[in-house]
Coordinates of all heavy atoms in Angstrom, one line a residue:
M1 N 0.8 -1.2 0.0 CA 0.0 0.0 0.0 C 0.9 1.3 0.0 O 1.9 1.3 0.7 CB -0.9 0.0 1.2 CG -1.8 1.2 1.3 SD -3.1 1.1 2.5 CE -2.2 1.4 4.0
A2 N 0.5 2.2 -0.8 CA 1.2 3.5 -0.8 C 0.3 4.5 0.0 O -0.9 4.7 -0.3 CB 1.4 4.0 -2.2
L3 N 0.9 5.1 1.0 CA 0.2 6.0 1.9 C 0.8 7.4 1.7 O 2.0 7.6 2.0 CB 0.3 5.5 3.3 CG -0.6 6.2 4.4 CD1 -2.0 6.1 4.1 CD2 -0.2 5.7 5.7
F4 N 0.0 8.3 1.2 CA 0.5 9.7 1.1 C 0.0 10.5 2.2 O -1.2 10.4 2.6 CB 0.0 10.3 -0.2 CG 0.7 9.7 -1.4 CD1 0.2 8.5 -2.0 CD2 1.8 10.3 -2.0 CE1 0.8 8.0 -3.2 CE2 2.4 9.7 -3.1 CZ 1.9 8.6 -3.7
V5 N 0.8 11.4 2.7 CA 0.4 12.4 3.7 C 0.5 13.8 3.0 O 1.6 14.2 2.8 CB 1.2 12.4 5.0 CG1 0.7 13.4 6.0 CG2 1.2 11.0 5.6
N6 N -0.6 14.3 2.6 CA -0.6 15.5 1.8 C -1.0 16.8 2.7 O -1.9 16.8 3.5 CB -1.7 15.4 0.7 CG -1.3 14.5 -0.4 OD1 -0.2 14.0 -0.4 ND2 -2.2 14.4 -1.4
G7 N -0.2 17.8 2.4 CA -0.5 19.1 3.0 C -1.8 19.7 2.3 O -1.9 19.6 1.1
C8 N -2.7 20.2 3.1 CA -4.0 20.6 2.6 C -3.8 21.8 1.6 O -4.5 21.8 0.5 CB -4.9 21.1 3.7 SG -5.4 19.6 4.7
F9 N -3.0 22.7 1.9 CA -2.8 23.9 1.0 C -2.1 23.4 -0.3 O -2.6 23.7 -1.4 CB -1.9 25.0 1.7 CG -1.5 26.1 0.7 CD1 -2.5 27.0 0.2 CD2 -0.2 26.2 0.3 CE1 -2.1 28.0 -0.7 CE2 0.1 27.2 -0.6 CZ -0.8 28.1 -1.1
W10 N -1.0 22.8 -0.2 CA -0.2 22.5 -1.4 C -0.8 21.5 -2.3 O -0.6 21.5 -3.5 CB 1.2 21.9 -0.9 CG 2.0 22.9 -0.3 CD1 2.3 23.1 1.0 CD2 2.7 24.0 -1.0 NE1 3.1 24.2 1.2 CE2 3.3 24.8 0.0 CE3 2.8 24.4 -2.3 CZ2 4.1 25.9 -0.3 CZ3 3.5 25.6 -2.6 CH2 4.1 26.3 -1.6
H11 N -1.7 20.6 -1.7 CA -2.3 19.6 -2.6 C -3.8 19.9 -2.8 O -4.5 19.1 -3.4 CB -2.1 18.2 -2.0 CG -0.7 17.8 -1.9 ND1 -0.1 17.0 -2.9 CD2 0.3 18.1 -1.1 CE1 1.2 16.9 -2.7 NE2 1.4 17.5 -1.5
G12 N -4.2 21.1 -2.4 CA -5.6 21.6 -2.8 C -6.7 20.7 -2.2 O -7.6 20.4 -2.9
H13 N -6.6 20.4 -0.9 CA -7.6 19.7 -0.3 C -9.0 20.4 -0.2 O -9.0 21.7 -0.1 CB -7.2 19.3 1.1 CG -8.2 18.3 1.8 ND1 -8.4 18.2 3.1 CD2 -8.9 17.3 1.2 CE1 -9.2 17.2 3.4 NE2 -9.6 16.6 2.2
D14 N -10.0 19.7 -0.3 CA -11.4 20.3 -0.3 C -11.8 20.5 1.2 O -12.7 19.9 1.7 CB -12.3 19.3 -0.9 CG -13.7 19.8 -1.0 OD1 -13.9 21.1 -0.8 OD2 -14.7 19.0 -1.2
C15 N -11.0 21.4 1.9 CA -11.3 21.7 3.3 C -11.0 23.2 3.5 O -10.5 23.9 2.6 CB -10.5 20.8 4.2 SG -8.8 21.3 4.3
Q16 N -11.3 23.7 4.7 CA -11.1 25.1 4.9 C -9.6 25.6 4.7 O -9.4 26.6 4.0 CB -11.4 25.4 6.4 CG -12.1 26.7 6.6 CD -12.5 26.9 8.1 OE1 -12.3 26.0 8.9 NE2 -13.2 28.0 8.3
R17 N -8.7 24.8 5.2 CA -7.3 25.1 5.0 C -6.9 25.0 3.5 O -6.1 25.9 3.0 CB -6.5 24.1 5.8 CG -5.0 24.6 6.0 CD -4.3 23.4 6.7 NE -2.9 23.8 7.0 CZ -2.5 24.3 8.2 NH1 -3.4 24.3 9.2 NH2 -1.3 24.6 8.4
G18 N -7.4 24.0 2.8 CA -7.1 23.8 1.4 C -7.7 24.9 0.5 O -7.1 25.2 -0.5
A19 N -8.7 25.5 1.0 CA -9.4 26.5 0.1 C -8.8 27.9 0.2 O -9.1 28.8 -0.6 CB -10.9 26.6 0.5
R20 N -7.9 28.0 1.2 CA -7.2 29.3 1.4 C -6.2 29.6 0.3 O -5.3 28.7 0.1 CB -6.5 29.3 2.8 CG -6.9 30.5 3.6 CD -6.1 30.5 4.9 NE -6.5 29.5 5.8 CZ -5.7 29.1 6.8 NH1 -4.5 29.5 6.9 NH2 -6.1 28.2 7.6
I21 N -6.3 30.7 -0.3 CA -5.3 31.1 -1.4 C -4.7 32.4 -0.9 O -5.4 33.3 -0.5 CB -6.0 31.3 -2.7 CG1 -6.5 29.9 -3.3 CG2 -5.1 31.9 -3.8 CD1 -5.5 29.0 -3.8
P22 N -3.4 32.5 -1.0 CA -2.7 33.8 -0.6 C -3.3 35.0 -1.3 O -3.7 34.8 -2.5 CB -1.3 33.6 -0.9 CG -1.1 32.1 -0.9 CD -2.4 31.5 -1.4
K23 N -3.4 36.1 -0.7 CA -4.0 37.3 -1.3 C -3.2 37.8 -2.5 O -3.8 38.4 -3.4 CB -4.3 38.4 -0.2 CG -5.4 38.0 0.7 CD -5.7 39.2 1.6 CE -6.9 38.9 2.5 NZ -6.5 38.1 3.7
N24 N -1.9 37.7 -2.4 CA -1.1 38.2 -3.5 C -0.9 37.0 -4.5 O -0.8 35.9 -4.2 CB 0.3 38.6 -3.0 CG 0.1 39.9 -2.1 OD1 -0.7 40.8 -2.4 ND2 0.9 39.9 -1.1
N25 N -0.8 37.4 -5.8 CA -0.5 36.5 -6.9 C -1.5 35.3 -6.9 O -1.2 34.1 -7.0 CB 0.9 35.9 -6.7 CG 2.0 36.9 -6.8 OD1 1.9 37.8 -7.6 ND2 2.9 36.8 -5.9
V26 N -2.8 35.7 -6.8 CA -3.9 34.7 -6.8 C -3.8 33.7 -8.0 O -3.9 32.5 -7.8 CB -5.3 35.4 -6.7 CG1 -6.4 34.4 -6.9 CG2 -5.4 36.1 -5.4
E27 N -3.6 34.3 -9.2 CA -3.5 33.5 -10.4 C -2.4 32.5 -10.3 O -2.6 31.3 -10.7 CB -3.4 34.4 -11.6 CG -3.7 33.6 -12.9 CD -3.5 34.5 -14.1 OE1 -3.5 35.7 -14.0 OE2 -3.4 33.9 -15.2
Y28 N -1.2 32.9 -9.9 CA -0.1 32.1 -9.7 C -0.4 30.9 -8.8 O -0.1 29.7 -9.2 CB 1.1 32.9 -9.2 CG 2.3 32.0 -8.7 CD1 3.2 31.5 -9.7 CD2 2.5 31.7 -7.4 CE1 4.2 30.7 -9.3 CE2 3.5 30.8 -7.0 CZ 4.4 30.4 -7.9 OH 5.4 29.6 -7.5
W29 N -0.9 31.2 -7.6 CA -1.2 30.1 -6.7 C -2.3 29.2 -7.1 O -2.2 28.0 -7.0 CB -1.5 30.7 -5.3 CG -0.3 31.3 -4.6 CD1 -0.1 32.6 -4.4 CD2 0.8 30.6 -4.1 NE1 1.1 32.8 -3.8 CE2 1.7 31.5 -3.6 CE3 1.1 29.2 -4.0 CZ2 2.9 31.2 -3.0 CZ3 2.3 28.9 -3.4 CH2 3.2 29.8 -3.0
T30 N -3.3 29.8 -7.7 CA -4.4 28.9 -8.2 C -3.9 27.9 -9.2 O -4.2 26.7 -9.2 CB -5.5 29.8 -8.9 OG1 -5.9 30.8 -7.9 CG2 -6.7 29.0 -9.3
K31 N -3.1 28.4 -10.2 CA -2.5 27.5 -11.2 C -1.6 26.5 -10.6 O -1.6 25.3 -11.0 CB -1.8 28.3 -12.3 CG -2.7 28.9 -13.3 CD -2.0 29.6 -14.4 CE -2.9 30.3 -15.4 NZ -2.3 31.2 -16.3
K32 N -0.8 26.9 -9.7 CA 0.2 26.0 -9.0 C -0.5 24.9 -8.3 O -0.1 23.7 -8.5 CB 1.1 26.8 -8.1 CG 2.2 26.0 -7.4 CD 3.2 26.8 -6.7 CE 4.3 26.0 -6.1 NZ 5.2 25.4 -7.2
I33 N -1.5 25.2 -7.5 CA -2.2 24.2 -6.8 C -3.0 23.3 -7.8 O -3.0 22.1 -7.5 CB -3.2 24.9 -5.8 CG1 -2.5 25.8 -4.8 CG2 -4.0 23.8 -5.0 CD1 -1.4 25.1 -3.9
E34 N -3.5 23.9 -8.8 CA -4.2 23.0 -9.8 C -3.3 22.0 -10.4 O -3.6 20.8 -10.6 CB -4.8 23.9 -10.9 CG -6.3 24.1 -10.8 CD -7.1 23.0 -10.2 OE1 -7.1 21.9 -10.8 OE2 -7.7 23.2 -9.1
R35 N -2.0 22.5 -10.8 CA -1.0 21.6 -11.3 C -0.7 20.5 -10.3 O -0.5 19.3 -10.7 CB 0.3 22.3 -11.7 CG 0.2 23.0 -13.0 CD 1.6 23.3 -13.5 NE 2.4 24.1 -12.6 CZ 2.4 25.4 -12.5 NH1 1.6 26.1 -13.4 NH2 3.1 26.1 -11.7
N36 N -0.5 20.8 -9.0 CA -0.2 19.8 -8.0 C -1.4 18.8 -8.0 O -1.1 17.6 -7.9 CB -0.1 20.5 -6.7 CG 1.2 21.3 -6.5 OD1 2.1 21.2 -7.4 ND2 1.4 22.1 -5.5
R37 N -2.6 19.3 -8.0 CA -3.7 18.3 -7.9 C -3.7 17.4 -9.1 O -4.0 16.2 -9.0 CB -5.0 19.1 -7.9 CG -5.3 19.8 -6.6 CD -6.6 20.5 -6.7 NE -7.8 19.6 -6.9 CZ -8.9 19.7 -6.2 NH1 -9.0 20.5 -5.2 NH2 -9.8 18.8 -6.4
A38 N -3.4 18.0 -10.3 CA -3.4 17.1 -11.5 C -2.3 16.1 -11.4 O -2.5 14.9 -11.8 CB -3.2 18.0 -12.8
R39 N -1.1 16.5 -10.9 CA 0.0 15.6 -10.8 C -0.3 14.5 -9.8 O 0.0 13.3 -10.0 CB 1.3 16.4 -10.4 CG 2.5 15.5 -10.6 CD 3.8 16.3 -10.1 NE 3.8 17.7 -10.5 CZ 3.9 18.6 -9.6 NH1 4.0 18.4 -8.3 NH2 3.9 19.9 -10.0
D40 N -1.0 14.9 -8.7 CA -1.4 13.9 -7.7 C -2.3 12.8 -8.3 O -2.2 11.6 -8.0 CB -2.1 14.6 -6.5 CG -1.2 15.4 -5.6 OD1 0.1 15.2 -5.7 OD2 -1.7 16.2 -4.8
K41 N -3.2 13.3 -9.1 CA -4.2 12.4 -9.7 C -3.5 11.4 -10.6 O -3.7 10.2 -10.6 CB -5.2 13.2 -10.5 CG -6.5 12.4 -10.8 CD -7.5 13.4 -11.5 CE -8.7 12.6 -11.9 NZ -9.7 13.6 -12.6
E42 N -2.5 11.9 -11.4 CA -1.7 11.1 -12.4 C -0.9 10.1 -11.6 O -0.9 8.9 -11.9 CB -0.8 11.9 -13.2 CG -1.4 12.6 -14.4 CD -0.5 13.6 -15.1 OE1 0.8 13.4 -15.0 OE2 -1.0 14.6 -15.6
T43 N -0.3 10.5 -10.5 CA 0.5 9.6 -9.7 C -0.4 8.5 -9.1 O 0.0 7.3 -9.2 CB 1.2 10.4 -8.5 OG1 1.9 11.4 -9.1 CG2 2.0 9.5 -7.7
L44 N -1.5 8.9 -8.6 CA -2.4 7.9 -8.0 C -2.9 6.8 -9.1 O -2.8 5.6 -8.8 CB -3.7 8.7 -7.5 CG -4.7 7.9 -6.6 CD1 -5.1 8.8 -5.5 CD2 -5.9 7.5 -7.4
I45 N -3.2 7.3 -10.3 CA -3.7 6.4 -11.3 C -2.5 5.5 -11.7 O -2.7 4.3 -11.9 CB -4.2 7.2 -12.5 CG1 -5.6 7.8 -12.1 CG2 -4.4 6.3 -13.7 CD1 -6.1 8.9 -13.1
S46 N -1.3 6.0 -11.9 CA -0.1 5.2 -12.3 C 0.1 4.1 -11.2 O 0.4 3.0 -11.6 CB 1.1 6.1 -12.4 OG 0.9 7.1 -13.3
L47 N 0.1 4.5 -10.0 CA 0.4 3.5 -8.9 C -0.7 2.4 -8.9 O -0.4 1.3 -8.7 CB 0.5 4.2 -7.5 CG 1.8 5.0 -7.3 CD1 1.6 5.9 -6.0 CD2 3.0 4.1 -7.2
Q48 N -1.9 2.9 -9.1 CA -3.0 1.9 -9.1 C -2.9 0.9 -10.2 O -3.1 -0.3 -10.1 CB -4.4 2.6 -9.1 CG -4.8 3.2 -7.8 CD -6.0 4.0 -7.8 OE1 -6.4 4.5 -8.8 NE2 -6.7 4.1 -6.6
K49 N -2.5 1.4 -11.4 CA -2.2 0.6 -12.5 C -1.1 -0.5 -12.3 O -1.2 -1.6 -12.8 CB -1.9 1.4 -13.8 CG -3.1 2.0 -14.5 CD -2.6 2.7 -15.7 CE -3.8 3.4 -16.4 NZ -3.4 4.4 -17.4
L50 N -0.2 -0.1 -11.4 CA 0.9 -1.0 -11.1 C 0.5 -2.0 -10.0 O 1.3 -2.7 -9.5 CB 2.2 -0.2 -10.7 CG 2.9 0.6 -11.8 CD1 3.9 1.6 -11.2 CD2 3.5 -0.3 -12.8
G51 N -0.7 -1.8 -9.5 CA -1.2 -2.8 -8.5 C -1.1 -2.3 -7.1 O -1.3 -3.1 -6.1
W52 N -0.7 -1.0 -6.9 CA -0.6 -0.5 -5.5 C -2.0 -0.1 -5.0 O -2.8 0.4 -5.8 CB 0.3 0.7 -5.5 CG 1.7 0.4 -5.6 CD1 2.4 0.2 -6.8 CD2 2.7 0.2 -4.6 NE1 3.7 0.0 -6.5 CE2 3.9 0.0 -5.2 CE3 2.6 0.3 -3.2 CZ2 5.1 -0.3 -4.4 CZ3 3.7 0.1 -2.4 CH2 5.0 -0.2 -3.1
R53 N -2.2 -0.3 -3.8 CA -3.4 0.3 -3.1 C -2.9 1.7 -2.7 O -1.9 1.8 -2.0 CB -3.9 -0.5 -1.9 CG -4.6 -1.8 -2.3 CD -4.7 -2.7 -1.1 NE -5.4 -2.0 0.0 CZ -5.2 -2.3 1.3 NH1 -4.4 -3.2 1.6 NH2 -5.9 -1.6 2.2
V54 N -3.7 2.7 -3.0 CA -3.2 4.1 -2.7 C -4.2 4.7 -1.7 O -5.4 4.6 -1.9 CB -3.1 4.9 -3.9 CG1 -2.6 6.3 -3.6 CG2 -2.2 4.2 -4.9
H55 N -3.7 5.3 -0.7 CA -4.5 6.1 0.2 C -3.9 7.4 0.6 O -2.7 7.5 0.8 CB -4.8 5.3 1.5 CG -5.8 5.9 2.4 ND1 -7.1 6.0 2.2 CD2 -5.6 6.6 3.6 CE1 -7.7 6.6 3.1 NE2 -6.8 7.0 4.0
V56 N -4.7 8.4 0.7 CA -4.2 9.8 1.0 C -4.7 10.1 2.4 O -5.9 10.1 2.7 CB -4.7 10.8 0.0 CG1 -4.2 12.2 0.4 CG2 -4.1 10.5 -1.4
V57 N -3.8 10.5 3.3 CA -4.2 11.1 4.6 C -3.9 12.6 4.4 O -2.8 13.0 4.0 CB -3.3 10.5 5.7 CG1 -3.6 11.2 7.0 CG2 -3.5 9.0 5.9
W58 N -4.9 13.4 4.8 CA -4.7 14.8 4.7 C -4.2 15.4 6.0 O -4.5 14.9 7.1 CB -6.1 15.5 4.3 CG -6.4 15.1 2.9 CD1 -7.3 14.1 2.4 CD2 -6.0 15.8 1.7 NE1 -7.3 14.1 1.1 CE2 -6.5 15.1 0.6 CE3 -5.1 16.8 1.4 CZ2 -6.3 15.5 -0.7 CZ3 -4.8 17.2 0.1 CH2 -5.4 16.5 -0.9
E59 N -3.5 16.5 5.8 CA -2.9 17.2 7.0 C -4.0 17.5 8.0 O -3.7 17.3 9.2 CB -2.4 18.5 6.4 CG -1.7 19.4 7.4 CD -1.3 20.7 6.8 OE1 -1.6 20.9 5.6 OE2 -0.7 21.6 7.5
C60 N -5.2 17.9 7.6 CA -6.2 18.2 8.6 C -6.8 17.0 9.3 O -7.4 17.1 10.3 CB -7.4 19.0 7.8 SG -8.2 18.0 6.5
E61 N -6.5 15.8 8.8 CA -6.9 14.6 9.4 C -5.9 14.1 10.5 O -6.2 13.1 11.2 CB -7.1 13.5 8.4 CG -8.3 13.8 7.4 CD -8.3 12.8 6.2 OE1 -7.3 12.1 6.0 OE2 -9.3 12.9 5.5
L62 N -4.8 14.7 10.5 CA -3.7 14.3 11.5 C -4.0 14.7 12.9 O -3.4 14.1 13.8 CB -2.4 14.8 11.0 CG -1.8 14.4 9.7 CD1 -0.5 15.1 9.4 CD2 -1.6 12.9 9.6
K63 N -4.9 15.6 13.1 CA -5.2 16.1 14.5 C -5.9 15.1 15.3 O -5.6 15.0 16.5 CB -6.0 17.4 14.4 CG -5.3 18.6 13.8 CD -6.2 19.8 13.7 CE -5.8 20.6 12.5 NZ -7.0 21.4 12.0
D64 N -6.8 14.4 14.7 CA -7.6 13.4 15.4 C -6.9 12.0 15.4 O -7.1 11.2 14.6 CB -9.0 13.3 14.8 CG -9.9 12.4 15.6 OD1 -9.5 11.7 16.5 OD2 -11.1 12.5 15.4
H65 N -6.0 11.8 16.4 CA -5.1 10.7 16.4 C -5.9 9.3 16.5 O -5.6 8.4 15.8 CB -4.2 10.7 17.6 CG -3.1 11.8 17.4 ND1 -2.1 12.0 18.3 CD2 -3.0 12.8 16.5 CE1 -1.4 13.1 17.9 NE2 -1.9 13.5 16.8
E66 N -7.0 9.3 17.3 CA -7.7 8.1 17.4 C -8.4 7.7 16.1 O -8.3 6.5 15.7 CB -8.8 8.3 18.5 CG -8.2 8.1 19.9 CD -9.2 8.3 21.0 OE1 -10.4 8.1 20.8 OE2 -8.8 8.7 22.1
R67 N -9.0 8.7 15.5 CA -9.6 8.4 14.2 C -8.6 7.9 13.1 O -8.9 7.0 12.4 CB -10.4 9.6 13.7 CG -11.2 9.2 12.5 CD -12.1 10.4 12.1 NE -12.6 10.0 10.7 CZ -13.2 10.9 9.9 NH1 -13.4 12.1 10.3 NH2 -13.5 10.5 8.7
L68 N -7.5 8.6 13.1 CA -6.5 8.3 12.1 C -6.0 6.9 12.3 O -5.8 6.1 11.4 CB -5.3 9.3 12.3 CG -4.1 9.2 11.4 CD1 -4.6 9.4 9.9 CD2 -3.0 10.1 11.8
Q69 N -5.7 6.5 13.6 CA -5.3 5.2 13.9 C -6.3 4.1 13.5 O -5.9 3.1 12.9 CB -5.0 5.1 15.4 CG -4.2 3.8 15.8 CD -3.8 3.8 17.2 OE1 -4.1 4.7 18.0 NE2 -3.1 2.7 17.6
A70 N -7.6 4.5 13.7 CA -8.6 3.5 13.4 C -8.7 3.4 11.8 O -8.9 2.3 11.3 CB -10.0 4.0 13.9
D71 N -8.6 4.5 11.1 CA -8.6 4.5 9.7 C -7.5 3.6 9.1 O -7.7 2.8 8.2 CB -8.6 5.9 9.1 CG -9.9 6.7 9.3 OD1 -10.9 6.1 9.7 OD2 -9.9 7.9 9.0
I72 N -6.3 3.9 9.6 CA -5.1 3.1 9.1 C -5.3 1.7 9.4 O -5.0 0.8 8.6 CB -3.8 3.8 9.6 CG1 -3.7 5.1 8.9 CG2 -2.6 2.9 9.3 CD1 -2.5 6.0 9.3
Q73 N -5.7 1.4 10.6 CA -5.9 0.0 11.0 C -6.9 -0.7 10.1 O -6.7 -1.8 9.6 CB -6.5 0.0 12.5 CG -6.6 -1.4 13.1 CD -5.3 -1.9 13.7 OE1 -4.7 -1.1 14.4 NE2 -5.0 -3.1 13.5
A74 N -8.0 0.0 9.8 CA -9.0 -0.6 8.8 C -8.4 -0.8 7.5 O -8.7 -1.8 6.8 CB -10.2 0.4 8.8
L75 N -7.6 0.1 7.0 CA -6.9 0.0 5.7 C -6.0 -1.2 5.7 O -6.0 -2.0 4.7 CB -6.1 1.2 5.4 CG -6.8 2.5 4.9 CD1 -5.9 3.7 4.9 CD2 -7.4 2.3 3.5
M76 N -5.3 -1.5 6.7 CA -4.4 -2.6 6.8 C -5.1 -3.9 6.8 O -4.6 -4.9 6.4 CB -3.5 -2.5 8.1 CG -2.7 -1.2 8.2 SD -1.6 -1.0 6.8 CE -0.1 -1.6 7.5
E77 N -6.3 -3.9 7.3 CA -7.1 -5.1 7.4 C -7.9 -5.4 6.2 O -8.5 -6.5 6.0 CB -8.0 -5.1 8.6 CG -7.2 -5.2 9.9 CD -8.0 -4.8 11.2 OE1 -9.2 -4.5 11.1 OE2 -7.4 -4.8 12.3
E78 N -8.0 -4.5 5.2 CA -8.8 -4.7 4.0 C -8.2 -5.8 3.2 O -7.0 -6.0 3.1 CB -8.8 -3.4 3.2 CG -10.0 -2.5 3.5 CD -9.9 -1.2 2.7 OE1 -9.2 -1.1 1.6 OE2 -10.5 -0.2 3.1
Ligands
LIG101 ZN1 -7.6 19.3 4.6

C-alpha cells in the first residue's frame, strides 16, 4: 500500500485550510495548486495501474489521532 500524507494547501484539499489562497498572486497560486492536484491524480492512477493500493491522509486529518489510527488499522485489514 502507498500512503501519502498531503498538506492541505499544497495539494488543494477540499477543506477550509485547502481552500485558502494567498491574497497576492492569486492566479499564480491557483494555477500552481491546480497543477499539483493534476499531478497527484496522475501519480495515483499510475500507482493503481501498477497494482498499488493508494490512500491519502490529509494534513487536517492528522489532528484526530484516534480516528487516524482507526482508519489506518481498517486499511491494513482490507
Ligand atoms: Zn484538509
Side-chain angles (χ1 to χ4, degrees):
M1 181 168 74
L3 186 66
F4 289 88
V5 181
N6 285 356
C8 295
F9 171 71
W10 291 105
H11 295 267
H13 190 209
D14 183 17
C15 72
Q16 215 175 4
R17 192 188 188 99
R20 232 187 287 158
I21 293 285
K23 287 188 175 80
N24 292 322
N25 301 318
V26 172
E27 195 182 338
Y28 168 81
W29 287 110
T30 305
K31 281 184 179 167
K32 184 170 184 66
I33 302 299
E34 258 329 295
R35 275 201 305 274
N36 287 350
R37 285 179 65 130
R39 196 182 319 122
D40 287 345
K41 197 173 175 183
E42 280 171 27
T43 303
L44 191 140
I45 290 168
S46 301
L47 285 169
Q48 283 175 335
K49 278 185 186 162
L50 291 169
W52 287 84
R53 287 166 56 208
V54 183
H55 185 74
V56 175
V57 175
W58 291 96
E59 180 185 4
C60 61
E61 295 170 347
L62 297 176
K63 290 176 214 153
D64 188 343
H65 292 182
E66 278 178 28
R67 186 175 164 192
L68 182 64
Q69 193 174 1
D71 286 351
I72 290 174
Q73 187 84 42
L75 284 167
M76 302 301 263
E77 286 165 6
E78 268 176 22

